[in-house]
Structures are given as C-alpha cells and as structure tokens.
Amino acid sequence: MTDFLIGLFLATLITALFTTRLYRLLFWYSINSLTLGLLALFIGSELDDAAMIVSGVITLIVKAVGIPFFLKRLSQRFRLVRQIPPNIKIQYAIMLVPAILVFTFYLAEPISHMVEGNANYVAISISSLFLALLLMMEHSNIAPKIVGFLAMENALFLLGTTATEGMPMLVELGIFFDLLMAIVVVNLLLRHEEVRA
Amino acid sequence: MMLSILLLPALVMFGVSFIHTPNARKVLPVTSFAILIPIVELFRLAKPYRLWGDYLVADDLDTYILLISSIVGIGVTLALLTLDKHVEVTETAYRRFYRFFALFWIGLIFSILANHMGIYWIGLEMATLSTVYMIKTNHTPAAHKEAWNYMIVGAIAISLVLFGIILIYASAKPVLGEDAMLFDALLGRAKDIPSPFLFEMGFAIATVGMFVKMGFFPMNLWIAHIERASFYPVAALFSGILESAVMVGFFRFSQIAEVVNRSHLFGFIFIYALLTIFIVAFLIYRAKDFMRLFSLSGIEHMALIALFWVSGGTFAALLHFGAHAFLKPALFLSTGVLESQGRYHIAGALRGYKGKGGAIFGFLVSLFLLAIISLPPSPMFFSELYGFGAMIDMAKQSHNLLAMIGAMLLLLILLSVIFYRFVAIYQSMKYEGETIEKKVHSSELFALVIFAVALLALITPPSMAFLRSVA
C-alpha cells in the first residue's frame, strides 16, 4: 500500500507538470496532498505513531482541501490567467522527467545499505523536489509558481514521512504554521496587483 | 520568563503597529533598548542556559550573536523614525512594515537560540516570509517584482535547508531517536552516525540552501537587486540580523560535519567560498550604486567568515562576524541618508552636510567605509590577520600545501581588487561632483553612533578575550 501511494504521489506530480489549465493544476496538487495525507495515516497506523496520524489528518484538511480551495478563490478574486502553458515544450519535459528520476536513483544508490527503510523512498522524495522545482521554472505565471512551492513542501513532507518514519510533531506543526503564513503573504502580494489594476 | 522578556520589544512593536497614531512609533526605539537587559543577564548566567527545555538553549556563541543582532535591531528602529523623511511611504505601509518587522525579529530570536534543527528552520522560514512583505511596503513595480522574486528564491533556499535537515535527522535517528533533531546531541554523538554519506548529503543540501539565501555562488546578484528595490532598513536587517541567523545555523551544522569528516567539509566550503569571492570581486568592481556595492561586499564578508570558521580560525570568524554585523547595517542606514530624494550619485555624496551633525555624519560614514575594507585599526583588519593565519596553519597540515597557498594568493588578489574599488569610491564621494545641501536627522545619527561605539567595544581586550573563550 505504501508503495502504491508513493507511486501515486509521483504520478500526480508528473501529471501536474504537463497541465496547461490553472484549476486542473490545483486539482492535481490537491490529489498529490491527498496521497501524502493518506500515506502519513497509513504509515502512522502501521507504526502506531499518533503524531504521524495527527499530521496526516492536518495534511488532508489543510493541503488537500483548504489550500487548493483558498487558491482557487484567490485566483477568481484577482482574476488570474487560467491558461498556463509551460515554457518548456511537452516533448522536452517528457525527456527531462525520466532523466531526473534516473539521476536521483543514482544519487541515492550509496545510501541503499544505510537507510533502515526503503532507500527508494529517499530517491523518490529527492526527485519530487526536483520535479517541483521544474514546475516552478517551466511557468512564467505566478499561480503555478506558488503551486510549485507548495509541491516542494509536499516533497519535503514525503521525505520526512518515509525516510525518517515521521518528524517530531513540533516541527510538523511549525511547517503547517509557516505554510499558512505563506498563503497570507501570497494574498497580500496579489492584492497589490488589484490595486494597480 | 527570560524568553518572554527577550520577545517583549518585538511583541510591543507588533501591538503598536495596529495603533493609528503616528506618534506611537516613537516609543519603539525605547522599548527595543529593553532587550539589552535580558541579554546582559544571559551573559552573566552559567552556560548552557535552558530557556525552553532542550529546544532553546543559550550558550556563549548564540548569546554573542543575539547581542549583535539586538544592537542592529535597536539601530534600525531608531533609523525607522525618519524613514518618511527620505523616501515616500504611506502611514499604512509604515504600520505594516513594523508589523512584519516584529514577526521577523521574533522568528530570528527563535532561530538564533534554537538548539533544535526544526525550530531553527521554523524561525528562519517565518523571517523569510515576513521579509517578503517588508520588501513590498515600497510601492514601486520594482519592489513588487523583487518581493515575488524573494518569495520564490527565498522559499527554494529555505526548502533546501529543510530537506538537508530531514536527511541529517534520518542519518542520526537510528542512534539518537527523536533527539537527532538537537544540535548538542548530534554534536556529542557525531562519530556514531551510522550513515555518514547520508549526513554529508544532508549537510551539503542544507549548506547550499543557506548559501543561496546569503547570495553565494551562483545566486550572487539576487540579493543585491532585492536590497536595491526595497527600503534601506530592509537591507540593514538583512545584513545585520538575517545573515547572522543563517550563519549561526552554518556554524552549528559545520561543527557536526567537522567531526564526521573534516577534509570533506573544508574542501567543499573552500571551493564554494573562493568561487563566490571570485565572482563578487568583479561584480563589486562594476557596481554603480551604494546599495549593490554594500550588498555584494556583504556576500564577500560572509564567504570569508565561512572560510575562517572551517579553517579552524573560529576566533577570527566570530570577530569578523561581529564587525560585519555592525558595519554593514550602519552603511546601509547611511546609504538611506546619502541617497535621500532618489539621488544615487556616488560622486560628492559625502559633501553638503552642514553643522556639527553633518560633520559627525561625514566622519562616521568615512570611518565605516574604510573599516569595511579592513584598514587598521578596524576589527576586520585583526580578524583577517588571524583568519589568514589559521588558513596557513591548515595548509601546513594538509597534503596540498602548494595548491592551498596558491588559492590563498588568489584570494588576496581578489580582496585587493575590492580594496582598490572602495578607496576609489571613497575618494569620489569626498572630492568629486557638486555640493548639494543635505540634511541628516538626529535619530539616524544616534543609530550610527551606537554602531560606532559597538565596533570600538569589539576590539577592547575583554571582548577579544570573550571571543577567544567562545572559540
């Protein structure tokens, strides 16, 4: 089940890379967060780790539902462009994605004997980080860049959940707090556009 | 209790930012002075002093950095009183600036005192996000663009730091459990880390994140653009407090990395810092305005501090660190005065100041400008002497003596380029251009005097002895 959810996490991120519509991108981000939340719930219940279950529930509420909903409302309020064609052509992106995956698996190879769990999880987390960075780079619009930043947070969470079997609760709550503050700042930054328009 | 008193000035500032009276901000410099009381008390207490369990622990290193950052905070609150005399700023933007400055300050107090990698990161992220809005309080398209830029690049940098922290945590969790998040526990058991490769990968990623945040290679110009586009107190806060907090993280991570593998650490930082200084020296040579000039010079000094620290010259690194943290905000605040009403000319910038205040201002700015390029008796002169001494000691012990001496010679040539450029700029400020009458306000002057006194205090024998004891 863990493997399936991690695969789904990666698949949703890759799909998000090829999306050309903003709402579709938010949808894929939401699904990406949903798999992350479920993963935390699943691993948490397996390890009997209450802290991880709590952070899984918060992920589901905040990231899978709250943030996409809020971003959609912001995009409607500030009339953001909904067509977001990527700057990197699809045919090149299709080549880039497997190249990133191969590179990260190569990078994580030496640690396969050192990590207690599955070393592939570390490789997938690092490749998710690179894919999120690619998402930020391939768009010139602001909204996909924000989604790319949020996807990067998801990649960090994936690493925290799988490679370390859960970060301390204090850290996870702090990250959620910072994430909410980031959304407030994004709101304030977008408001400026409205004032100028 | 101690923590609440430390946070009090920032909390008062946050509260005052909601009051709609322009006079309210006059109380802030007075309140900000109050932070010195708990810090002086912290110096007297036995170390390590636990402020909040194992999470926030004050030792000599972070108390010193906290003191420096607080003096910068006091100077900036003083200079903020007359921000509207130099640049156009609405009352609402002013209040928002204070609100986010308060959040920034709280975040950095947590970061500096953190003994826990997670809390260190949370404080740094809070400071990053609040800076975004401080940049945007300048209502220009350039500032707006740079605020977005900072949001994105800053977020990437800080995410890399967290990624590194998670990998470090993963590498040490098998031996330390959840305590693998604590800097002191990690340092104590660094030799037992079962997967040093994982640790080093985490350290490298976290270090790249921290270095990107400070404008190291390959992101040399982004911070200069941001400081140019925002109000000048933002640049002062960046160089005096934010970079200090990032550096304290680097100090702590590298202490652990040194135990894990000293030669890897040294090689990585040496090449990275040299590459950064190489590029920055030529960028400084081409800089056309004060903000970019000082901002790039800040990157150069941060690279030197990192280099001295990993070379074993911890005393030199800390002295350089303190001198930089006082000099750079002082120069940025002076820039606000020198460039008031949008005049960016370097030629004749030091002329036209009337009266006693004007003379003191001219003297102080000359002093800061010459001190930043390490003219004796600047603290930077001593720190560079000791720093290069430490590097030579390191070279003698290594197997690559000639390569290291060659690299040090290159470093000296690059520093000479910077020295030459600063002297040329100073002469242009003093002897060229036309004289236009300009004004300097007493609160700004007071802030500069505080920085000058702090610099002098840094080279007194007791503070030198204290820095040696920290090292």
Side-chain angles (χ1 to χ4, degrees):
Chain A
M1 188 66 180
T2 312
D3 289 340
F4 171 72
L5 284 172
I6 290 181
L8 207 59
F9 178 90
L10 195 60
T12 48
L13 193 55
I14 293 171
T15 317
L17 275 172
F18 301 120
T19 311
T20 57
R21 309 291 299 181
L22 181 59
Y23 291 175
R24 197 64 13 183
L25 182 65
L26 292 178
F27 169 75
W28 285 118
Y29 168 71
S30 171
I31 299 292
N32 188 259
S33 309
L34 182 78
T35 52
L36 186 68
L38 291 176
L39 195 68
L41 287 181
F42 187 74
I43 297 178
S45 61
E46 243 182 14
L47 296 172
D48 202 17
D49 183 351
M52 202 188 270
I53 293 175
V54 172
S55 68
V57 172
I58 299 177
T59 304
L60 288 178
I61 296 169
V62 175
K63 287 185 174 175
V65 182
I67 290 178
F69 173 75
F70 196 69
L71 280 179
K72 191 173 177 182
R73 276 200 49 196
L74 280 182
S75 72
Q76 284 168 342
R77 198 166 128 209
F78 297 112
R79 292 186 203 91
L80 294 183
V81 185
R82 283 170 58 187
Q83 261 184 322
I84 44 160
N87 291 338
I88 300 173
K89 285 183 182 171
I90 300 264
Q91 57 265 44
Y92 299 134
I94 286 176
M95 285 190 270
L96 262 173
V97 172
I100 289 173
L101 288 172
V102 170
F103 170 70
T104 48
F105 273 84
Y106 171 74
L107 192 70
E109 208 275 326
I111 52 169
S112 54
H113 313 294
M114 299 172 191
V115 181
E116 277 185 0
N118 195 338
N120 289 341
Y121 297 166
V122 177
I124 290 178
S125 305
I126 298 176
S127 58
S128 303
L129 180 84
F130 285 140
L131 292 177
L133 276 172
L134 186 65
L135 182 63
M136 285 172 108
M137 281 192 283
E138 70 170 11
H139 290 283
S140 40
N141 289 325
I142 290 297
K145 281 190 191 290
I146 298 167
V147 177
F149 162 65
L150 296 167
M152 206 150 92
E153 291 276 340
N154 276 2
L156 293 173
F157 242 86
L158 181 73
L159 183 71
T161 311
T162 54
T164 68
E165 293 176 342
M167 304 279 286
M169 194 64 197
L170 183 80
V171 180
E172 294 192 349
L173 289 179
I175 295 170
F176 279 119
F177 167 74
D178 280 332
L179 209 58
L180 294 177
M181 194 171 149
I183 295 298
V184 172
V185 171
V186 164
N187 184 17
L188 286 169
L189 285 176
L190 284 171
R191 191 167 289 174
H192 184 73
E193 294 288 321
E194 188 188 45
V195 171
R196 284 174 63 215
Chain B
M1 181 64 186
M2 184 68 92
L3 184 63
S4 328
I5 307 172
L6 274 173
L7 295 175
L8 195 65
L11 292 173
V12 170
M13 189 184 285
F14 191 75
V16 164
S17 72
F18 289 96
I19 300 173
H20 286 237
T21 330
N23 281 336
R25 63 173 181 249
K26 288 184 182 158
V27 300
L28 295 179
V30 184
T31 341
S32 62
F33 266 102
I35 199 170
L36 292 178
I37 301 166
I39 294 175
V40 169
E41 185 60 24
L42 271 182
F43 270 101
R44 292 179 53 227
L45 290 167
K47 307 284 170 23
Y49 179 77
R50 291 176 195 282
L51 287 133
W52 178 29
D54 282 337
Y55 298 138
L56 299 180
V57 178
D59 59 13
D60 283 335
L61 176 68
D62 52 28
T63 314
Y64 167 66
I65 291 169
L66 194 64
L67 174 69
I68 288 175
S69 309
S70 303
I71 293 173
V72 176
I74 293 167
V76 173
T77 44
L78 273 167
L80 267 173
L81 284 178
T82 49
L83 177 68
D84 51 353
K85 302 276 194 306
H86 300 292
V87 288
E88 267 183 49
V89 50
T90 61
E91 205 48 50
T92 324
Y94 222 128
R95 279 198 298 276
R96 279 194 179 159
F97 189 95
Y98 273 117
R99 199 168 306 156
F100 283 85
F101 178 17
L103 288 175
F104 172 86
W105 208 354
I106 293 170
L108 289 180
I109 289 174
F110 273 97
S111 269
I112 292 170
L113 290 171
N115 181 39
H116 187 279
M117 291 193 288
I119 293 182
Y120 169 74
W121 184 84
I122 292 165
L124 216 53
E125 168 85 340
M126 195 169 149
T128 304
L129 291 170
S130 43
T131 317
V132 172
Y133 203 73
M134 282 201 283
I135 296 166
K136 216 211 86 164
T137 40
N138 187 4
H139 275 286
T140 60
H144 183 67
K145 181 175 161 273
E146 292 307 333
W148 273 112
N149 240 348
Y150 188 75
M151 169 89 196
I152 290 158
V153 184
I156 292 174
I158 204 84
S159 301
L160 286 176
V161 177
L162 182 60
F163 207 84
I165 288 176
I166 299 174
L167 289 177
I168 291 174
Y169 177 63
S171 74
K173 201 180 176 187
V175 283
L176 285 165
E178 285 215 347
D179 283 351
M181 271 283 176
L182 303 175
F183 284 122
D184 56 0
L186 263 174
L187 187 60
R189 299 283 301 273
K191 277 217 176 304
D192 308 329
I193 290 176
S195 42
F197 178 80
L198 193 60
F199 174 87
E200 286 187 85
M201 195 158 84
F203 172 75
I205 293 177
T207 306
V208 169
M210 285 188 275
F211 282 0
V212 163
K213 207 160 163 45
M214 291 193 287
F216 279 35
F217 176 82
M219 306 294 291
N220 300 101
L221 270 173
W222 81 288
I223 217 149
H225 289 326
I226 286 161
E227 292 183 341
R228 173 74 275 167
S230 49
F231 290 142
Y232 58 89
V234 174
L237 290 173
F238 254 75
S239 54
I241 308 184
L242 184 62
E243 287 186 349
S244 303
V246 177
M247 214 55 192
V248 75
F250 172 73
F251 287 167
R252 301 224 183 271
F253 284 119
S254 59
Q255 274 173 336
I256 306 158
E258 194 176 349
V259 181
V260 174
N261 192 326
R262 194 179 184 199
S263 61
H264 282 185
L265 166 77
F266 182 74
F268 177 57
I269 303 298
F270 195 81
I271 293 168
Y272 210 132
L274 203 61
L275 211 54
T276 302
I277 296 174
F278 182 80
I279 291 172
V280 161
F282 294 105
L283 289 175
I284 286 180
Y285 195 76
R286 291 178 60 83
K288 299 276 189 297
D289 64 272
F290 290 121
M291 279 290 184
R292 285 201 178 83
L293 178 78
F294 296 147
S295 172
L296 290 165
S297 141
I299 300 171
E300 171 224 336
H301 288 294
M302 284 294 147
L304 280 178
I305 294 167
L307 208 48
F308 294 162
W309 181 265
V310 297
S311 309
T314 41
F315 163 69
L318 289 176
L319 187 62
H320 204 85
F321 180 93
H324 174 264
F326 292 139
L327 277 170
K328 215 36 84 59
L331 281 169
F332 277 124
L333 296 180
S334 315
T335 304
V337 182
L338 292 169
E339 285 187 349
S340 58
Q341 286 114 40
R343 282 190 296 268
Y344 292 173
H345 309 300
I346 284 178
L350 264 180
R351 294 157 62 174
Y353 291 97
K354 300 273 178 246
K356 253 187 197 165
I360 298 171
F361 177 74
F363 171 73
L364 285 176
V365 174
S366 311
L367 192 82
F368 294 140
L369 261 173
L370 297 175
I372 200 80
I373 46 172
S374 315
L375 268 186
S378 157
M380 282 194 166
F381 170 73
F382 298 109
S383 61
E384 285 186 9
L385 271 187
Y386 285 113
F388 277 97
M391 282 166 71
I392 290 169
D393 283 344
M394 186 100 181
K396 278 193 220 157
Q397 293 162 19
S398 86
H399 300 297
N400 310 308
L401 180 70
L402 277 180
M404 278 193 61
I405 297 289
M408 266 186 275
L409 277 177
L410 175 66
L411 196 58
L412 284 172
I413 292 169
L414 295 173
L415 292 183
S416 314
V417 171
I418 297 170
F419 185 88
Y420 164 75
R421 182 66 186 148
F422 265 84
V423 171
I425 284 174
Y426 174 68
Q427 289 186 329
S428 168
M429 284 167 78
K430 210 156 162 55
Y431 305 116
E432 290 170 18
E434 50 190 272
T435 309
I436 307 162
E437 195 163 325
K438 298 165 218 162
K439 195 168 166 38
V440 53
H441 298 275
S442 48
S443 62
E444 297 150 356
L445 207 55
F446 187 38
L448 296 186
V449 169
I450 290 175
F451 287 125
V453 172
L455 266 176
L456 282 178
L458 206 58
I459 44 172
T460 55
S463 49
M464 292 272 222
F466 171 77
L467 289 181
R468 277 186 201 284
S469 73
V470 175

